[in-house]
Amino acid sequence: MAEVDPAAGKPVAPSALANVPRLVTAYFANRPDPADPAQRVAFGTSGHRGTSLKNSFNEGHILATTQAICDYRREKGLTGPLFIGIDTHALAEPALVSAVEVFAANGVDIMVDRAGGYTPTPAVSHAILSYNKGRTSGLADGVVITPSHNPPEDGGYKYNPPHGGPADTDVTGVVEKRANALLADGLKGVARMDYAKARKSSSVHAFDFVTPYVADLGNVVDLELVRSAGVNIGIDPLGGAAVHYWHPIIERYGLTATVVNEAIDPTFRFMTVDWDGKIRMDCSSPYAMASLIRMKDRFDVAFANDTDADRHGIVTPTGGLMNPNHYLATAIAYLFANRPHWGGDAAIGKTVVSSSVIDRVAKKLGRKLVETPVGFKWFVDGLVTGSFGFGGEESAGASFLKRDGTVWTTDKDGIILGLLGAEILAKTGRDPSQLFADLTAELGVPHYERIDVAATAAQKSVLKSVTPEQLGLKDLAGDPVRATLSKAPGNGQPFGGIKVETDFGWFAARPSGTEDVYKIYAESFRSTDHLHRIQQEAQAGLTKAFGA
């Protein structure tokens, strides 16, 4: 595990701030080299990400990717509007300009924020689903320009098809291949219109994302209960896209709430730095969340969202910043006990690297548990149909059904997860940390940690396809192995790694897609010492499998 930087949790030094003019200049001036894999369009679990300073997120990438999306829409007969939102990163506005020029030239009807503001990922998902409800043709889709919680120098571009959630690899593979072909051909196949003309064209429409999303919130979280209980809420948007949503929410529902930071600054100079000394708007990091944690005693419950508001970080007076897995388990236990209109067969969706305390909660509730590979896309169909009541990831991303059992969003929604913390307190009289303590008193205390281990490209390649037989572990930290998995048990899909389970702990290992490391997720229901033993034996077993 890497050393924690001495600056972690402290205010940002002026010398560490992004040079925004240089960043934007590089976006327009630099040309990516399509022969360099690091400079090509590459869709991960949350779209294409990079920085203009390294030629991995430049105008060429956005022009090519947008044209590739237009081509994909024509191929699939998608003729409805495309909802487009941006976050507050410095490269979001330039990328929006590039995207508008291409979408307008291709005659795609795009819906942009009417106030020229920022749009959370869940608001885009909600808009797509609301438009498509009851339709079988002329379906809408969307784009969100965001690198999520990544540093200020980064940009991101992700596509949400008509189901409203993240595009799966069948879609992103097509878009990525086409975009890189356009880059290699010098963008010759890209249709483009001057930005001023594009904004005045019949293809570009001003859209109110805020009002319909805010008006529908009371149908997913019981905000009348929160209001009547007088729960005192603290909210930190971390300078992100949700910043202008909170006052309309507070006013409409009469909430007792304070937005503790309303600043929007593309350098994010108001942040405290993350564990490695970098600026990240990571609401699950105690270092990035240091400012809100210091305010914990001012509020009954407080929370933050990352920059596109698809993640949540919950802070309570009794427990400080909650571990994301702990809050997921608490939310699941509460929701399935307090949503009588959800179907009796509505399942719980979790990723293979999420805490097994969720498994124990599901068993206690008598609910089906569906364990999937990493990526929110695996929960989309279940949320659309209502066969999943809840889908969540260990990285503090989740969504759940409306109170009547119908779909809310099919992308992660940190706004509703934050407000749910207030509903939990209003309903039970106990904050989420206290409710989690009640759960663990009955189900056992989980000790969970993720560590990064240095790995060569060859080792990472082996790990992607390692089999249970190759690993061959019969015992783990003193307990017999009950299962070794390379495919997610919920849907039989490979998750690009290996997972070993016992009755009292487990580990999962996956290669990083961007760094020379592999990630070990591990958990023990015995002790921290037992967790460390699991981690050590996992590394030893993997080293053996690598042939070292």
Side-chain angles (χ1 to χ4, degrees):
M1 184 73 174
E3 291 288 328
V4 173
D5 191 282
K10 298 176 181 177
V12 182
S15 61
L17 296 174
N19 185 323
V20 173
R22 185 174 298 164
L23 196 65
V24 174
T25 298
Y27 173 84
F28 288 108
N30 291 359
R31 301 288 180 265
D33 178 3
D36 181 352
Q39 298 185 38
R40 291 165 64 85
V41 173
F43 273 81
T45 54
S46 296
H48 172 73
R49 293 183 185 179
T51 175
S52 60
L53 301 177
K54 294 183 179 178
N55 286 357
S56 52
F57 191 92
N58 304 84
E59 184 181 48
H61 296 104
I62 305 308
L63 296 174
T65 303
T66 305
Q67 184 62 54
I69 290 170
C70 294
D71 295 346
Y72 173 81
R73 294 180 98 247
R74 273 192 289 270
E75 180 186 323
K76 296 298 180 182
L78 299 177
T79 57
L82 184 140
F83 294 90
I84 187 166
I86 65 171
D87 77 359
T88 54
H89 277 77
L91 291 175
E93 296 264 8
L96 177 65
V97 169
S98 304
V100 167
E101 290 179 346
V102 176
F103 280 130
N106 281 271
V108 175
D109 284 312
I110 59 172
M111 316 296 278
V112 298
D113 185 76
R114 70 175 184 180
Y118 310 103
T119 307
T121 286
V124 172
S125 179
H126 183 270
I128 295 168
L129 291 169
S130 298
Y131 183 88
N132 289 341
K133 186 176 181 180
R135 297 177 188 267
T136 57
S137 61
L139 298 178
D141 52 0
V143 160
V144 190
I145 302 175
T146 174
S148 188
H149 62 286
N150 279 25
E153 295 83 1
D154 284 7
Y157 196 81
K158 63 181 183 179
Y159 175 61
N160 287 31
H163 58 49
D168 63 26
T169 51
D170 290 344
V171 177
T172 58
V174 171
V175 171
E176 180 183 301
K177 183 178 179 181
R178 174 62 176 153
N180 283 318
L182 288 165
L183 275 180
D185 200 28
L187 302 175
K188 289 178 184 174
V190 175
R192 188 177 182 184
M193 180 185 292
D194 177 79
Y195 182 66
K197 290 181 179 178
R199 289 303 302 239
K200 295 175 182 177
S201 74
S202 60
S203 293
V204 180
H205 309 272
F207 182 75
D208 179 6
F209 283 95
V210 179
T211 301
Y213 178 88
V214 171
D216 210 9
L217 266 178
N219 293 317
V220 67
V221 180
D222 192 344
L223 295 177
E224 172 55 28
L225 177 63
V226 175
R227 183 201 64 77
S228 62
V231 178
N232 184 21
I233 306 167
I235 303 164
D236 190 344
L238 299 182
V243 66
H244 294 144
Y245 280 61
W246 285 113
H247 284 300
I249 291 169
I250 292 165
E251 291 164 12
R252 183 181 183 94
Y253 295 102
L255 303 181
T256 304
T258 302
V259 182
V260 302
N261 172 26
E262 298 187 57
I264 294 176
D265 180 341
T267 67
F268 295 90
R269 66 181 68 237
F270 46 77
M271 290 294 299
T272 50
V273 298
D274 206 358
W275 67 273
D276 57 355
K278 294 183 179 180
I279 303 172
R280 285 190 194 86
M281 286 56 71
D282 183 353
C283 47
S284 63
S285 165
Y287 304 106
M289 288 279 283
S291 297
L292 188 60
I293 294 169
R294 283 196 292 269
M295 300 180 198
K296 67 183 178 66
D297 295 325
R298 285 178 48 189
F299 305 104
D300 298 325
V301 65
F303 55 85
N305 297 124
D306 67 338
T307 327
D308 68 321
D310 70 346
R311 298 189 186 196
H312 58 274
I314 309 298
V315 176
T316 69
T318 61
L321 178 65
M322 290 189 74
N323 177 291
N325 280 295
H326 297 180
Y327 185 62
L328 292 184
T330 303
I332 290 165
Y334 173 81
L335 284 165
F336 281 89
N338 290 277
R339 293 296 188 266
H341 298 296
W342 286 9
D345 57 353
I348 298 162
K350 61 162 270 195
T351 58
V352 292
V353 296
S354 298
S355 173
S356 286
V357 75
I358 295 170
D359 305 49
R360 297 185 178 198
V361 168
K363 185 176 181 181
K364 169 182 165 66
L365 293 167
R367 289 282 178 166
K368 180 182 178 182
L369 180 76
V370 181
E371 195 170 350
T372 73
V374 173
F376 204 78
K377 64 184 181 181
W378 301 108
F379 305 134
V380 169
D381 290 344
L383 290 169
V384 167
T385 62
S387 61
F388 278 12
F390 183 100
E393 299 184 299
E394 81 298 334
S395 56
S399 191
F400 51 89
L401 298 178
K402 291 184 182 180
R403 292 155 68 192
D404 65 2
T406 59
V407 64
W408 166 247
T409 60
T410 48
D411 214 326
K412 296 171 286 191
D413 190 338
I415 294 173
I416 63 168
L417 267 297
L419 292 170
L420 180 68
E423 182 191 326
I424 289 170
L425 178 59
K427 179 74 173 181
T428 68
R430 298 175 68 74
D431 71 38
S433 294
Q434 293 171 315
L435 211 60
F436 182 71
D438 294 343
L439 278 176
T440 55
E442 177 184 356
L443 303 176
V445 178
H447 305 270
Y448 178 103
E449 188 178 35
R450 194 200 94 183
I451 61 174
D452 293 346
V453 181
T456 65
Q459 289 172 331
K460 288 166 60 179
S461 179
V462 169
L463 182 53
K464 273 186 181 179
S465 56
V466 69
T467 65
E469 292 74 24
Q470 285 175 294
L471 195 59
L473 285 179
K474 303 297 182 185
D475 297 280
L476 180 65
D479 298 310
V481 170
R482 72 177 184 204
T484 303
L485 310 169
S486 57
K487 294 181 179 179
N491 58 10
Q493 294 294 318
F495 56 84
I498 198 83
K499 184 176 184 180
V500 177
E501 300 176 335
T502 74
D503 287 337
F504 298 98
W506 59 271
F507 79 84
R510 299 175 62 246
S512 169
T514 57
E515 300 175 86
D516 293 328
V517 299
Y518 66 88
K519 304 172 185 181
I520 294 181
Y521 306 79
E523 184 169 48
S524 167
F525 279 86
R526 292 192 189 277
S527 65
T528 302
D529 287 344
H530 187 245
L531 168 68
H532 294 157
R533 188 176 167 190
I534 289 173
Q535 292 169 331
Q536 291 162 6
E537 293 187 16
Q539 287 187 59
L542 289 165
T543 299
K544 186 178 178 181
F546 294 152

